[in-house]
Amino acid sequence: MYLKPPNSSLNKTTLKSLKISYFLHQSFNFYHILSRFSTSSLANISDSQPTSLSTSLYTFLPHTQNPNNIVNIICSNFKILKKRPNFSVLENDIKVLENDLKGVISHLGTQEITRVLLRCQSDSYTALCFFNWVRNDLCISPNVHNYCVLVHILVWSKNFSKAMALLLEVIELSRSVSGGSDVFKVLVLSTNECSWEPVVFEMLVKAYVKKGMVREGFSVFRRMVRFGLVPSVVTVNCLLTGLSKFNYVDRCWYLFEEMGRIGVRANCFTFNILTHVLCKGEDVNKVNKFLDEMEEKGFIPDVVTYNTLIDSYCKKRRLKEAIYLFNIMYRRGVLPDLVTYTALVNGYCKDMNMREAHKLFHRMIQEGLCPDVTSYNTLICGYCREGMMHEARTLLRDMIGNGVLPDNFCCWILVKGYEKQDRLLSALNLLVELQRFNVLIPKDIYNYLIVALCKDNRALAAKNLLDRMSTDGHETTEKIFNEIVNCLYQLEMQKVNP
């Protein structure tokens, strides 16, 4: 008896089933090979699109293991999390999400990040949570384009503080990318994908200024103008301040001219910044001419304007012009403030006219202004420079009595004032007095006085000061210790060989 061979139709069906099984088996093997050879570091995932062959094979995989579904899986999971009170994402939720994505997480690249972000345009908080999850939990580094898309989403949602923080980050990222990356260009290109507000480009200018990259900020301003975007006066003032800080005088005036051309109306802050720019130069006539032009445009100088001019005149030893402006302030109803008086006191001190400086200081107090540490330091420094240590010490006591503790600069100028008069013991008494008022003596002052005492052959005084220094919690250096040892040795040698 023998088995009857299968009929032809059954044989074809069986063969077809075997082929499908084999094909599916090969598909799964191919998928695992792809996963095995994917980069071990999720921070460096290729942005290249999958080939048509691999894409067709993905259709045979389960839903949660199909890389084509990664965006849908992420969005659906975050949609569930969003329904919770306060949208609280717990550590367990992160583990669940990562478990759902285990089969496809290696395929999460920058293009998929952008797609998820674009789906979250109407919910900036969800977009930000997803972005932070990607870079913090998955350790995937978003690219400049990802940052720019999220910045647009945040700005559109009026979340300006978070957007500014991300702009500062993306500026750093663009500098680290090989060959650099044009953040402005990427922001412009991103406008084709999502909703956006023109203010985002003004924020980019401010971000560059915050980073100290004022030339890049200036470049963004010029490109904005070419694109037909008109920045606000606040943004222009921010850029002007940055340019002034780095002494880009020509660009400041170019910016001022551009304001008039594109229709940005200057305000009092603009004129005060430009007054400060002019005061850095030596041409007083330019300053006066500019002030006349400002008044013709309806600008009335305020206390900041006068303070800028008075401080500039005092630093350049043009005390007469400063006093003249001080008197003009009263005539025009602009009351001087603490900055005004401090600048003039400094001017008198530099002119070695301590009597007028003292009178002006007390006039300031009579006007109801409370001197701060800078005001006191200015007059104390003037006294010390002129060798008037008794007056400086008296003012120090008044300063402490009024609740203003001396800072490191104040301590330094007093100690050097005494050292200049060879009154080291008076300097030591000063330190003792300051410590009674809980003033922390800087380590550098201790070292300075120890060396000075050793040079004056006061080894015991230097050793006592070293002990006091240790009590204050300062550690000595080998150099200072050797200074005291050498001084003690010299004293012993003098006793042996008088």
Side-chain angles (χ1 to χ4, degrees), residues 121-171:
Q121 285 188 72
S122 60
D123 188 352
S124 62
Y125 187 69
T126 303
L128 188 59
C129 284
F130 162 72
F131 189 81
N132 289 331
W133 171 67
V134 166
R135 60 177 181 168
N136 297 332
D137 294 285
L138 300 185
C139 299
I140 298 176
S141 299
N143 62 12
V144 174
H145 181 249
N146 297 146
Y147 271 93
C148 289
V149 169
L150 182 56
V151 166
H152 278 307
I153 293 171
L154 292 170
V155 172
W156 180 261
S157 302
K158 311 300 181 187
N159 193 344
F160 299 115
S161 59
K162 293 289 186 183
M164 177 57 75
L166 286 176
L167 278 174
L168 294 173
E169 286 184 32
V170 77
I171 287 172

Side-chain angles (χ1 to χ4, degrees), residues 67-321:
N68 293 332
N69 298 327
I70 187 169
V71 174
N72 293 330
I73 296 171
I74 291 174
C75 290
S76 60
N77 274 273
F78 271 89
K79 188 176 181 180
I80 295 171
L81 294 175
K82 181 187 171 185
K83 293 180 180 179
R84 295 188 176 182
N86 300 323
F87 191 22
S88 55
V89 182
L90 304 177
E91 185 177 350
N92 187 54
D93 298 326
I94 297 297
K95 290 181 180 179
V96 171
L97 182 58
E98 291 176 5
N99 185 60
D100 289 346
L101 293 169
K102 186 176 7 178
V104 292
I105 203 168
S106 61
H107 294 271
L108 180 61
T110 53
Q111 291 184 359
E112 287 73 26
I113 293 172
T114 298
R115 288 170 59 196
V116 174
L117 289 173
L118 291 174
R119 287 200 189 183
C120 299
Q121 285 188 72
S122 60
D123 188 352
S124 62
Y125 187 69
T126 303
L128 188 59
C129 284
F130 162 72
F131 189 81
N132 289 331
W133 171 67
V134 166
R135 60 177 181 168
N136 297 332
D137 294 285
L138 300 185
C139 299
I140 298 176
S141 299
N143 62 12
V144 174
H145 181 249
N146 297 146
Y147 271 93
C148 289
V149 169
L150 182 56
V151 166
H152 278 307
I153 293 171
L154 292 170
V155 172
W156 180 261
S157 302
K158 311 300 181 187
N159 193 344
F160 299 115
S161 59
K162 293 289 186 183
M164 177 57 75
L166 286 176
L167 278 174
L168 294 173
E169 286 184 32
V170 77
I171 287 172
E172 282 297 320
L173 176 63
S174 66
R175 295 170 70 180
S176 63
V177 174
S178 178
S181 183
D182 191 340
V183 180
F184 178 84
K185 182 178 179 180
V186 179
L187 275 175
V188 171
L189 293 175
S190 302
T191 59
N192 295 324
E193 302 173 275
C194 55
S195 302
W196 64 285
E197 289 281 355
V199 72
V200 71
F201 298 102
E202 297 187 50
M203 292 177 66
L204 181 60
V205 174
K206 294 176 183 177
Y208 274 123
V209 173
K210 279 188 177 183
K211 284 295 212 180
M213 303 168 65
V214 292
R215 287 184 297 179
E216 289 79 357
F218 181 76
S219 174
V220 171
F221 168 82
R222 296 185 67 179
R223 294 167 76 179
M224 282 180 64
V225 173
R226 285 201 297 269
F227 271 88
L229 298 172
V230 180
S232 67
V233 66
V234 176
T235 301
V236 177
N237 287 345
C238 176
L239 184 54
L240 272 175
T241 302
L243 293 171
S244 171
K245 183 179 178 181
F246 288 91
N247 292 320
Y248 293 125
V249 177
D250 293 339
R251 294 184 182 183
C252 285
W253 293 111
Y254 171 86
L255 197 58
F256 182 59
E257 291 175 1
E258 279 291 283
M259 289 177 68
R261 189 181 69 82
I262 63 179
V264 179
R265 185 176 177 81
N267 58 18
C268 60
F269 297 105
T270 313
F271 290 119
N272 284 336
I273 296 166
L274 291 171
T275 301
H276 180 72
V277 172
L278 280 172
C279 286
K280 289 183 177 182
E282 298 292 332
D283 194 343
V284 180
N285 293 326
K286 277 188 178 181
V287 179
N288 294 331
K289 183 180 178 182
F290 180 68
L291 288 175
D292 291 338
E293 290 178 1
M294 285 195 297
E295 292 185 356
E296 288 176 4
K297 292 180 180 181
F299 168 73
I300 300 174
D302 58 9
V303 67
V304 177
T305 315
Y306 285 110
N307 286 348
T308 303
L309 294 168
I310 289 172
D311 182 63
S312 176
Y313 284 136
C314 288
K315 287 178 178 178
K316 294 173 182 176
R317 306 284 180 97
R318 304 174 70 97
L319 193 56
K320 287 184 178 180
E321 288 91 337

Side-chain angles (χ1 to χ4, degrees), residues 338 342 361 364 370-377 399 404:
L338 195 61
T342 302
F361 186 86
M364 172 178 66
C370 297
D372 60 4
V373 67
T374 304
S375 304
Y376 280 110
N377 284 351
M399 175 182 181
V404 182

